[in-house]
PDB file of all heavy atoms in Angstrom:
ATOM      1  N   PHE A 231      82.940  28.962 194.435  1.00 87.00           N
ATOM      2  CA  PHE A 231      84.150  29.211 193.664  1.00 87.00           C
ATOM      3  C   PHE A 231      84.091  30.584 192.996  1.00 87.00           C
ATOM      4  O   PHE A 231      85.088  31.329 192.973  1.00 87.00           O
ATOM      5  CB  PHE A 231      84.314  28.110 192.613  1.00 87.00           C
ATOM      6  CG  PHE A 231      85.423  28.363 191.642  1.00 87.00           C
ATOM      7  CD1 PHE A 231      86.746  28.399 192.048  1.00 87.00           C
ATOM      8  CD2 PHE A 231      85.134  28.571 190.297  1.00 87.00           C
ATOM      9  CE1 PHE A 231      87.766  28.634 191.148  1.00 87.00           C
ATOM     10  CE2 PHE A 231      86.149  28.804 189.389  1.00 87.00           C
ATOM     11  CZ  PHE A 231      87.465  28.837 189.819  1.00 87.00           C
ATOM     12  N   ALA A 326      92.525  31.551 182.679  1.00 93.00           N
ATOM     13  CA  ALA A 326      92.564  30.088 182.790  1.00 93.00           C
ATOM     14  C   ALA A 326      92.760  29.442 181.414  1.00 93.00           C
ATOM     15  O   ALA A 326      93.494  28.457 181.274  1.00 93.00           O
ATOM     16  CB  ALA A 326      91.273  29.592 183.426  1.00 93.00           C
ATOM     17  N   SER A 330      95.997  27.204 180.550  1.00 91.00           N
ATOM     18  CA  SER A 330      95.742  25.812 180.146  1.00 91.00           C
ATOM     19  C   SER A 330      96.326  25.539 178.763  1.00 91.00           C
ATOM     20  O   SER A 330      96.869  24.459 178.503  1.00 91.00           O
ATOM     21  CB  SER A 330      94.238  25.528 180.155  1.00 91.00           C
ATOM     22  OG  SER A 330      93.705  25.662 181.462  1.00 91.00           O
ATOM     23  N   LYS A 336      93.891  20.091 177.395  1.00 83.00           N
ATOM     24  CA  LYS A 336      92.698  20.186 176.558  1.00 83.00           C
ATOM     25  C   LYS A 336      91.529  20.815 177.312  1.00 83.00           C
ATOM     26  O   LYS A 336      90.692  21.485 176.720  1.00 83.00           O
ATOM     27  CB  LYS A 336      92.297  18.800 176.052  1.00 83.00           C
ATOM     28  CG  LYS A 336      93.324  18.185 175.109  1.00 83.00           C
ATOM     29  CD  LYS A 336      92.833  16.836 174.592  1.00 83.00           C
ATOM     30  CE  LYS A 336      93.848  16.240 173.624  1.00 83.00           C
ATOM     31  NZ  LYS A 336      93.402  14.918 173.093  1.00 83.00           N
ATOM     32  N   CYS A 337      91.485  20.593 178.622  1.00 88.00           N
ATOM     33  CA  CYS A 337      90.404  21.152 179.440  1.00 88.00           C
ATOM     34  C   CYS A 337      90.892  22.420 180.138  1.00 88.00           C
ATOM     35  O   CYS A 337      92.045  22.494 180.582  1.00 88.00           O
ATOM     36  CB  CYS A 337      89.941  20.132 180.483  1.00 88.00           C
ATOM     37  SG  CYS A 337      89.242  18.633 179.771  1.00 88.00           S
ATOM     38  N   VAL A 338      90.021  23.382 180.239  1.00 90.00           N
ATOM     39  CA  VAL A 338      90.352  24.646 180.905  1.00 90.00           C
ATOM     40  C   VAL A 338      89.943  24.550 182.365  1.00 90.00           C
ATOM     41  O   VAL A 338      88.797  24.237 182.687  1.00 90.00           O
ATOM     42  CB  VAL A 338      89.621  25.827 180.239  1.00 90.00           C
ATOM     43  CG1 VAL A 338      89.931  27.137 180.974  1.00 90.00           C
ATOM     44  CG2 VAL A 338      89.994  25.926 178.770  1.00 90.00           C
ATOM     45  N   SER A 339      90.905  24.802 183.248  1.00 88.00           N
ATOM     46  CA  SER A 339      90.599  24.731 184.673  1.00 88.00           C
ATOM     47  C   SER A 339      91.255  25.900 185.405  1.00 88.00           C
ATOM     48  O   SER A 339      92.252  26.456 184.952  1.00 88.00           O
ATOM     49  CB  SER A 339      91.095  23.406 185.270  1.00 88.00           C
ATOM     50  OG  SER A 339      92.502  23.293 185.126  1.00 88.00           O
ATOM     51  N   LEU A 340      90.683  26.249 186.541  1.00 87.00           N
ATOM     52  CA  LEU A 340      91.189  27.339 187.357  1.00 87.00           C
ATOM     53  C   LEU A 340      91.108  26.918 188.819  1.00 87.00           C
ATOM     54  O   LEU A 340      90.034  26.599 189.318  1.00 87.00           O
ATOM     55  CB  LEU A 340      90.363  28.612 187.121  1.00 87.00           C
ATOM     56  CG  LEU A 340      90.787  29.861 187.891  1.00 87.00           C
ATOM     57  CD1 LEU A 340      92.175  30.312 187.459  1.00 87.00           C
ATOM     58  CD2 LEU A 340      89.778  30.982 187.676  1.00 87.00           C
ATOM     59  N   ARG A 341      92.253  26.884 189.481  1.00 82.00           N
ATOM     60  CA  ARG A 341      92.322  26.468 190.886  1.00 82.00           C
ATOM     61  C   ARG A 341      91.673  25.101 191.110  1.00 82.00           C
ATOM     62  O   ARG A 341      90.967  24.867 192.085  1.00 82.00           O
ATOM     63  CB  ARG A 341      91.642  27.503 191.785  1.00 82.00           C
ATOM     64  CG  ARG A 341      92.348  28.854 191.825  1.00 82.00           C
ATOM     65  CD  ARG A 341      91.646  29.789 192.796  1.00 82.00           C
ATOM     66  NE  ARG A 341      92.362  31.055 192.905  1.00 82.00           N
ATOM     67  CZ  ARG A 341      91.961  32.053 193.692  1.00 82.00           C
ATOM     68  NH1 ARG A 341      90.872  31.916 194.437  1.00 82.00           N
ATOM     69  NH2 ARG A 341      92.645  33.173 193.735  1.00 82.00           N
ATOM     70  N   GLY A 342      91.908  24.221 190.156  1.00 81.00           N
ATOM     71  CA  GLY A 342      91.387  22.867 190.279  1.00 81.00           C
ATOM     72  C   GLY A 342      89.944  22.708 189.881  1.00 81.00           C
ATOM     73  O   GLY A 342      89.384  21.610 189.962  1.00 81.00           O
ATOM     74  N   ASN A 343      89.321  23.761 189.424  1.00 85.00           N
ATOM     75  CA  ASN A 343      87.919  23.710 189.000  1.00 85.00           C
ATOM     76  C   ASN A 343      87.844  23.798 187.477  1.00 85.00           C
ATOM     77  O   ASN A 343      88.367  24.744 186.874  1.00 85.00           O
ATOM     78  CB  ASN A 343      87.128  24.871 189.611  1.00 85.00           C
ATOM     79  CG  ASN A 343      87.004  24.752 191.118  1.00 85.00           C
ATOM     80  OD1 ASN A 343      86.060  24.176 191.644  1.00 85.00           O
ATOM     81  ND2 ASN A 343      87.983  25.312 191.837  1.00 85.00           N
ATOM     82  N   ARG A 344      87.202  22.813 186.893  1.00 89.00           N
ATOM     83  CA  ARG A 344      87.058  22.795 185.432  1.00 89.00           C
ATOM     84  C   ARG A 344      85.984  23.788 185.012  1.00 89.00           C
ATOM     85  O   ARG A 344      84.882  23.821 185.568  1.00 89.00           O
ATOM     86  CB  ARG A 344      86.687  21.385 184.962  1.00 89.00           C
ATOM     87  CG  ARG A 344      86.531  21.276 183.453  1.00 89.00           C
ATOM     88  CD  ARG A 344      86.244  19.853 183.028  1.00 89.00           C
ATOM     89  NE  ARG A 344      86.007  19.767 181.605  1.00 89.00           N
ATOM     90  CZ  ARG A 344      85.734  18.649 180.943  1.00 89.00           C
ATOM     91  NH1 ARG A 344      85.678  17.498 181.619  1.00 89.00           N
ATOM     92  NH2 ARG A 344      85.532  18.663 179.645  1.00 89.00           N
ATOM     93  N   LEU A 345      86.320  24.618 184.017  1.00 88.00           N
ATOM     94  CA  LEU A 345      85.375  25.615 183.520  1.00 88.00           C
ATOM     95  C   LEU A 345      84.632  25.057 182.312  1.00 88.00           C
ATOM     96  O   LEU A 345      85.261  24.527 181.381  1.00 88.00           O
ATOM     97  CB  LEU A 345      86.108  26.901 183.124  1.00 88.00           C
ATOM     98  CG  LEU A 345      86.954  27.585 184.214  1.00 88.00           C
ATOM     99  CD1 LEU A 345      87.538  28.881 183.673  1.00 88.00           C
ATOM    100  CD2 LEU A 345      86.105  27.858 185.444  1.00 88.00           C
ATOM    101  N   PRO A 346      83.289  25.176 182.276  1.00 87.00           N
ATOM    102  CA  PRO A 346      82.521  24.713 181.119  1.00 87.00           C
ATOM    103  C   PRO A 346      82.967  25.439 179.850  1.00 87.00           C
ATOM    104  O   PRO A 346      83.292  26.631 179.889  1.00 87.00           O
ATOM    105  CB  PRO A 346      81.074  25.069 181.487  1.00 87.00           C
ATOM    106  CG  PRO A 346      81.074  25.232 182.966  1.00 87.00           C
ATOM    107  CD  PRO A 346      82.432  25.747 183.329  1.00 87.00           C
ATOM    108  N   SER A 347      82.959  24.735 178.743  1.00 87.00           N
ATOM    109  CA  SER A 347      83.450  25.318 177.491  1.00 87.00           C
ATOM    110  C   SER A 347      82.627  26.528 177.069  1.00 87.00           C
ATOM    111  O   SER A 347      83.181  27.494 176.518  1.00 87.00           O
ATOM    112  CB  SER A 347      83.416  24.263 176.378  1.00 87.00           C
ATOM    113  OG  SER A 347      82.097  23.768 176.199  1.00 87.00           O
ATOM    114  N   ARG A 349      81.287  28.759 178.943  1.00 86.00           N
ATOM    115  CA  ARG A 349      81.672  29.931 179.726  1.00 86.00           C
ATOM    116  C   ARG A 349      82.990  30.510 179.190  1.00 86.00           C
ATOM    117  O   ARG A 349      83.166  31.729 179.125  1.00 86.00           O
ATOM    118  CB  ARG A 349      81.806  29.579 181.204  1.00 86.00           C
ATOM    119  CG  ARG A 349      80.484  29.297 181.890  1.00 86.00           C
ATOM    120  CD  ARG A 349      80.615  29.386 183.405  1.00 86.00           C
ATOM    121  NE  ARG A 349      79.345  29.114 184.066  1.00 86.00           N
ATOM    122  CZ  ARG A 349      78.374  30.000 184.220  1.00 86.00           C
ATOM    123  NH1 ARG A 349      78.526  31.228 183.735  1.00 86.00           N
ATOM    124  NH2 ARG A 349      77.255  29.674 184.834  1.00 86.00           N
ATOM    125  N   VAL A 350      83.909  29.634 178.833  1.00 91.00           N
ATOM    126  CA  VAL A 350      85.186  30.092 178.261  1.00 91.00           C
ATOM    127  C   VAL A 350      84.935  30.776 176.925  1.00 91.00           C
ATOM    128  O   VAL A 350      85.495  31.850 176.641  1.00 91.00           O
ATOM    129  CB  VAL A 350      86.156  28.916 178.091  1.00 91.00           C
ATOM    130  CG1 VAL A 350      87.452  29.390 177.437  1.00 91.00           C
ATOM    131  CG2 VAL A 350      86.454  28.264 179.436  1.00 91.00           C
ATOM    132  N   VAL A 446      76.307  20.736 176.625  1.00 33.00           N
ATOM    133  CA  VAL A 446      77.535  20.576 175.837  1.00 33.00           C
ATOM    134  C   VAL A 446      78.709  20.142 176.705  1.00 33.00           C
ATOM    135  O   VAL A 446      78.916  20.718 177.753  1.00 33.00           O
ATOM    136  CB  VAL A 446      77.877  21.906 175.129  1.00 33.00           C
ATOM    137  CG1 VAL A 446      79.205  21.782 174.398  1.00 33.00           C
ATOM    138  CG2 VAL A 446      76.786  22.280 174.167  1.00 33.00           C
TER     139      VAL A 446
END
Side-chain angles (χ1 to χ4, degrees):
F231 172 65
S330 297
K336 294 183 179 180
C337 297
V338 178
S339 61
L340 181 65
R341 294 183 176 180
N343 293 269
R344 181 177 176 180
L345 303 183
S347 58
R349 289 198 180 279
V350 177
V446 176

